[in-house]
Amino acid sequence: QSALTQPASVSGSPGQSITISCTGTSSDVGGYNYVSWYQQHPGKAPKLMIYEVSNRPSGVSNRFSGSKSGNTASLTISGLQAEDEADYYCSSYTSSSEEVFGTGTKVTVL
Amino acid sequence: QVQLVESGGGVVQPGRSLRLSCAASGFTFSTYAMHWVRQAPGKGLEWVAIISYDGNKKYYADSVRGRFTISRDNSKNTLYLQMNSLRAEDTAVYFCARVLYYDYWSGYYYGMDVWGQGTTVTVSS
């Protein structure tokens, strides 16, 4: 199972909005609404930010939103803040009953 | 509070074995499916394996299938990862994570909502 494709880096100024894409295939992202997004700060464990494409766990800011079109899922961070600077990973359930992560995106707040 | 604590990491020679543990507390462990996920130094997250809440269903990544075994002891609230025939490329921080949603009969699942702090495995001669 190949990793989902994400841009290596995305940057934005405080207050701006950025979008991270996550491209897979019809056997993963495109075939199921089981896409999740994780935030990981250096040296820390990942944190679930979005599940089932667009749902936010309790406690996650509503500045984070998710969507999907075809084989590509997206994470949008609006009102970018310094604390949002981190690595972000998408993941998806696959037709092989496995999980696959994205390649990861480093978000920089300018 | 809800918590996962991994242990068992260390330095091991290629070809040898190691068993990782993940102790759960603060929730009813026996009702949740669980994952192992790893992260090589400076690299991204890689899914390793998942086990159903009762231990009867297990799935593995191609990179570890046949060498690693995921298991659990619900009486001890503990998840395990037995790693055999270790290779240099298995060097990573290993995380255990709780599954947010798991449908036992269809096998569908999504979300990893609770993570441990990770335990480091280094495979080197």
Side-chain angles (χ1 to χ4, degrees):
Chain A
Q1 184 72 43
S2 299
L4 307 176
T5 301
Q6 298 179 231
S9 62
V10 174
S11 61
S13 299
Q16 287 186 329
S17 293
I18 62 170
T19 296
I20 303 168
S21 62
C22 169
T23 301
T25 69
S26 58
S27 295
D28 38 65
V29 174
Y32 309 93
N33 287 325
Y34 299 149
V35 176
S36 301
W37 289 90
Y38 301 89
Q39 176 192 65
Q40 186 181 34
H41 287 106
K44 301 295 186 181
K47 175 186 177 182
L48 179 65
M49 304 302 285
I50 296 287
Y51 65 91
E52 212 177 2
V53 176
S54 60
N55 293 313
R56 278 188 311 277
S58 174
V60 172
S61 170
N62 59 9
R63 297 185 298 103
F64 292 84
S65 62
S67 62
K68 191 187 86 166
S69 178
N71 294 339
T72 298
S74 298
L75 174 71
T76 297
I77 308 175
S78 58
L80 199 61
Q81 299 180 0
E83 68 209 48
D84 300 331
E85 187 161 292
D87 292 326
Y88 291 82
Y89 296 91
C90 61
S91 75
S92 175
Y93 175 84
T94 76
S95 58
S96 303
S97 298
E98 300 168 7
E99 186 82 1
V100 60
F101 281 99
T103 49
T105 298
K106 181 177 181 60
V107 169
T108 301
V109 181
L110 302 172
Chain B
Q1 71 280 25
V2 174
Q3 193 173 11
L4 297 171
V5 178
E6 301 95 336
S7 61
V11 180
V12 61
Q13 294 180 327
R16 303 298 291 265
S17 299
L18 203 61
R19 188 178 82 158
L20 306 183
S21 298
C22 168
S25 59
F27 65 98
T28 306
F29 177 71
S30 61
T31 64
Y32 285 89
M34 298 291 296
H35 287 284
W36 284 102
V37 174
R38 68 184 181 182
Q39 187 168 35
K43 302 297 185 181
L45 300 173
E46 180 186 14
W47 176 76
V48 173
I50 185 173
I51 186 169
S52 60
Y53 64 87
D54 61 0
N56 287 336
K57 295 188 177 185
K58 307 172 186 181
Y59 295 95
Y60 299 91
D62 289 344
S63 57
V64 307
R65 189 177 297 117
R67 299 187 301 121
F68 290 12
T69 301
I70 188 172
S71 63
R72 64 192 298 159
D73 185 337
N74 286 341
S75 68
K76 296 182 178 179
N77 292 337
T78 303
L79 174 73
Y80 302 102
L81 185 68
Q82 176 67 42
M83 305 185 295
N84 298 332
S85 303
L86 282 162
R87 307 167 179 167
E89 53 264 37
D90 296 318
T91 294
V93 175
Y94 284 74
F95 298 98
C96 59
R98 188 177 78 172
V99 179
L100 176 62
Y101 173 81
Y102 184 92
D103 184 300
Y104 188 89
W105 300 111
S106 70
Y108 296 152
Y109 59 84
Y110 58 77
M112 301 177 194
D113 66 338
V114 180
W115 293 68
Q117 84 289 349
T119 187
T120 300
V121 173
T122 302
V123 184
S124 174
S125 54

